[in-house]
Amino acid sequence: MLVDSHVHLDMRQFAKDRGDVIKRALSAGVEEMLGIGYDPRSIDETINLSEEYEQLYAAVGIHPHDAEKWNDDLEEKIKKALFRKKVLAVGEIGLDYYRDLSPRHIQREIFKKQIAIAVYFGKPIIVHCRESFGDVIEILKQEGAEEVGGIFHAFQGGVEEAEKIFDLGFLVGIGGTVTYKNSRLPETVERLPSSSFVLETDCPYLTPVPYRGKRNEPSYVKLVGEKVAKIKGVTLDDIERATEANYRRLLHAEKRPPASISYVIKNNLYINATNFCTNDCRFCPRRKRDRELYGYNLNLLVEPEIDEIIVSAQGLLENRDFDEIVFCGYGEPTVRLDVILEVAKALKKYGIALRLNTNGQGNMINRRDIVPRLEKYFNTVSVSLNSFSRDSYLDLCRPDAGAKAYDSVLDFLGRAAGSKMKCIATAVDFPGLDMNKCREAAEGIPGVEFYVRRYQIDPPQIPRA
Ligand code: SF4
């Protein structure tokens, strides 16, 4: 399901056909919209619309352009609105040093006041930030906004800005600008973990391609989702699942779903057999409490039994033809070798190619050559190499076994490449890691293909989840 986390349907641009606009949004699969009240008139109208349309919720706040209009009555109005069931957030509030329509010192003062209100009511904050990033981050920190989190709406920054935002437990809102030809946003989106962003239109503004220059509307959030899916090499379904989960955790304080033993991304069925690993890679999401991936919770509290895994996978296999079944979670599958082989044997009969994603330490973990057993069932083995020397492996992957782990991975790669299985070595383009050297190390082993995976920055810890 699509969610448009930032709409201005109260505006005059929608006066004549608001009902049709909302119908079009529903037909496009948009099942929830967050209307943003930004001044006294807009607050009233957005709340009225949220009462009229089931799918429309509201946020209330005073935009930095109108900071000078702040008075006690307005403060009271916002506080009263926050008691309403469908008012989910405070916003949009922030600082706008681009248009400077209110004096900057007043913008800062009113921003602080509204953060305090959000924290008092336990509501997330919808942030407007234009040419004021440093001050916005500083004020959010000073005022304890981490307690409630929120969304940096219409985010257009780079990785460094995203990291600062995620440190505060805030998400970023990705809108139509991601579709613009010269936007640098796609580069940033490549690096964003799936649990860190929501989709928005900011309609009637920031219309995505191919409608750029015309009025924006919530149904176009699908175009934004499609573009993000393309950038990240997944499907629109994956982006919808992830962004809906992120939105619901923040705005509706929804709990995480139960852990997934099997899950679907793109047209692959994934098997999540363990969270245990013999490495502690610097970039691994396993280190985070969240362990979310495209809306799935991969945090296994208990390791699933063979039957549980088979039944879980079969439930998904009944309804769909998959391209591949991939044994891959946030853990090393070969620590449960007998389990994954039994599951692979049971799933082999579906005639779908099987792939094992591994850290390549299976022979060392199991104290024997496991390749002959793997090649009975698996068509492909994909090994996380992530290095080109013992030292670089020790530094980035931090193996329990120390320096000998790297030798073991190379030995495994050589044996796997000499088996019936297709053998791939992968590396995450972690900052500072020399990809050319990793490629040389991988391709120096006859029969091994090399593949680069995108490094993703650390996700935010959503405070309300
Ligand atoms: S090998 Fe994979 S599962 Fe293990 S710590 Fe590294 S990235 Fe995480």
Side-chain angles (χ1 to χ4, degrees):
M1 154 185 148
L2 283 160
V3 174
D4 187 345
S5 65
H6 202 105
V7 302
H8 295 288
L9 290 175
D10 60 290
M11 284 185 153
R12 59 176 173 73
Q13 288 90 333
F14 295 106
K16 287 193 183 136
D17 64 346
R18 190 174 292 114
D20 290 340
V21 166
I22 291 177
K23 266 190 210 152
R24 277 200 293 278
L26 297 180
S27 316
V30 183
E31 289 183 22
E32 185 160 326
M33 291 155 269
L34 186 65
I36 308 292
Y38 54 87
D39 70 8
R41 175 209 60 82
S42 162
I43 289 172
D44 287 339
E45 290 182 24
T46 301
I47 289 175
N48 289 342
L49 289 173
S50 74
E51 304 284 319
E52 191 179 340
Y53 294 97
E54 189 193 336
Q55 298 82 3
L56 194 60
Y57 286 77
V60 294
I62 296 300
H63 195 282
H65 291 344
D66 296 308
E68 272 186 305
K69 291 182 187 161
W70 185 269
N71 58 38
D72 290 350
D73 290 345
L74 207 39
E75 182 169 341
E76 208 47 36
K77 185 186 194 67
I78 289 171
K79 285 178 175 169
K80 271 194 184 149
L82 287 167
F83 283 108
R84 289 174 174 268
K85 207 170 160 205
K86 290 193 83 181
V87 176
L88 304 180
V90 174
E92 56 185 290
I93 63 174
L95 305 175
D96 192 316
Y97 294 171
Y98 177 71
R99 295 187 67 195
D100 271 333
L101 294 185
S102 280
R104 291 184 181 184
H105 71 280
I106 296 181
Q107 290 190 42
R108 286 190 286 268
E109 186 194 326
I110 303 312
F111 185 32
K112 286 180 189 176
K113 275 187 194 285
Q114 294 185 90
I115 295 169
I117 292 173
V119 172
Y120 179 80
F121 279 85
K123 299 281 186 186
I125 298 165
I126 311 298
V127 176
H128 173 102
C129 170
R130 211 157 169 210
E131 303 208 349
S132 53
F133 188 76
D135 279 3
V136 165
I137 291 287
E138 200 48 45
I139 290 174
L140 287 170
K141 262 189 213 161
Q142 279 169 8
E143 303 303 312
E146 288 120 303
E147 258 189 57
V148 288
I151 300 169
F152 261 68
H153 127 78
F155 177 72
Q156 295 185 47
V159 164
E160 272 180 33
E161 283 105 336
E163 282 177 325
K164 289 189 175 124
I165 290 168
F166 298 163
D167 279 350
L168 283 170
F170 277 62
L171 302 172
V172 292
I174 304 295
T177 48
V178 76
T179 66
Y180 297 173
K181 205 170 161 196
N182 295 322
S183 169
R184 63 175 181 147
L185 198 49
E187 264 174 58
T188 312
V189 167
E190 277 196 329
R191 306 284 181 196
L192 300 182
S194 59
S195 60
S196 68
F197 58 90
V198 290
L199 303 178
E200 64 170 63
T201 56
D202 197 15
C203 64
Y205 311 114
L206 297 178
T207 313
V209 170
Y211 302 112
R212 193 174 179 185
K214 303 198 172 106
R215 181 189 71 176
N216 200 358
E217 61 174 64
S219 63
Y220 297 166
V221 79
K222 189 171 182 179
L223 297 167
V224 177
E226 284 169 350
K227 178 68 182 188
V228 172
K230 193 169 172 199
I231 294 166
K232 297 194 86 63
V234 294
T235 63
L236 178 61
D237 270 359
D238 297 326
I239 296 300
E240 286 187 23
R241 191 186 323 104
T243 50
E244 182 193 352
N246 299 339
Y247 172 89
R248 292 196 166 280
R249 283 166 63 208
L250 181 71
L251 274 301
H252 292 286
E254 270 188 15
K255 291 207 169 13
R256 289 185 191 86
S260 294
I261 298 173
S262 54
Y263 58 101
V264 179
I265 294 179
K266 294 186 279 185
N267 198 36
N268 293 339
L269 170 62
Y270 288 85
I271 306 291
N272 180 26
T274 182
N275 280 161
F276 183 79
C277 187
T278 48
N279 277 353
D280 178 23
C281 301
R282 288 183 192 280
F283 52 81
C284 183
R286 202 175 130 261
R287 294 184 300 121
K288 312 285 165 345
R289 191 161 57 89
D290 253 0
R291 294 181 185 168
E292 294 259 338
L293 189 65
Y294 289 104
Y296 297 111
N297 172 11
L298 299 187
N299 193 21
L300 295 167
L301 296 178
V302 182
E303 308 258 276
E305 301 293 336
I306 295 170
D307 286 353
E308 282 179 89
I309 303 175
I310 294 172
V311 168
S312 164
Q314 281 172 337
L316 295 166
L317 282 158
E318 268 166 25
N319 308 314
R320 191 161 164 174
D321 270 338
F322 290 101
D323 295 332
E324 244 185 336
I325 299 174
V326 187
F327 287 63
C328 167
Y330 286 155
E332 169 49 33
T334 65
V335 297
R336 303 191 77 201
L337 183 66
D338 291 339
V339 171
I340 62 160
L341 288 173
E342 276 302 313
V343 174
K345 187 176 165 190
L347 300 184
K348 191 74 183 166
K349 66 169 189 263
Y350 287 89
I352 300 168
L354 261 58
R355 168 159 52 106
L356 174 70
N357 286 4
T358 169
N359 66 12
Q361 295 174 20
N363 287 353
M364 190 175 60
I365 294 165
N366 292 281
R367 297 175 190 214
R368 62 192 147 135
D369 182 6
I370 65 170
V371 171
R373 296 181 75 193
L374 294 176
E375 71 177 342
K376 269 192 186 162
Y377 307 113
F378 289 96
N379 304 77
T380 304
V381 61
S382 175
V383 178
S384 306
L385 181 62
N386 299 318
S387 51
F388 51 86
S389 65
R390 282 182 189 168
D391 284 347
S392 62
Y393 195 74
L394 276 174
D395 177 54
L396 191 60
C397 300
R398 304 185 289 194
D400 293 348
K404 68 179 181 192
Y406 181 67
D407 300 337
S408 163
V409 175
L410 293 185
D411 179 65
F412 178 83
L413 272 168
R415 289 170 194 265
S419 75
K420 286 191 287 189
M421 297 181 288
K422 179 176 172 183
C423 182
I424 301 167
T426 67
V428 169
D429 58 350
F430 191 76
L433 181 64
D434 188 328
M435 283 297 109
N436 288 329
K437 286 187 178 170
C438 290
R439 179 182 292 280
E440 276 169 29
E443 292 180 347
I445 303 169
V448 173
E449 291 177 21
F450 180 68
Y451 180 78
V452 177
R453 290 185 288 140
R454 286 277 170 253
Y455 165 65
Q456 315 234 302
I457 59 177
D458 285 352
Q461 202 74 63
I462 297 179
R464 287 154 57 87

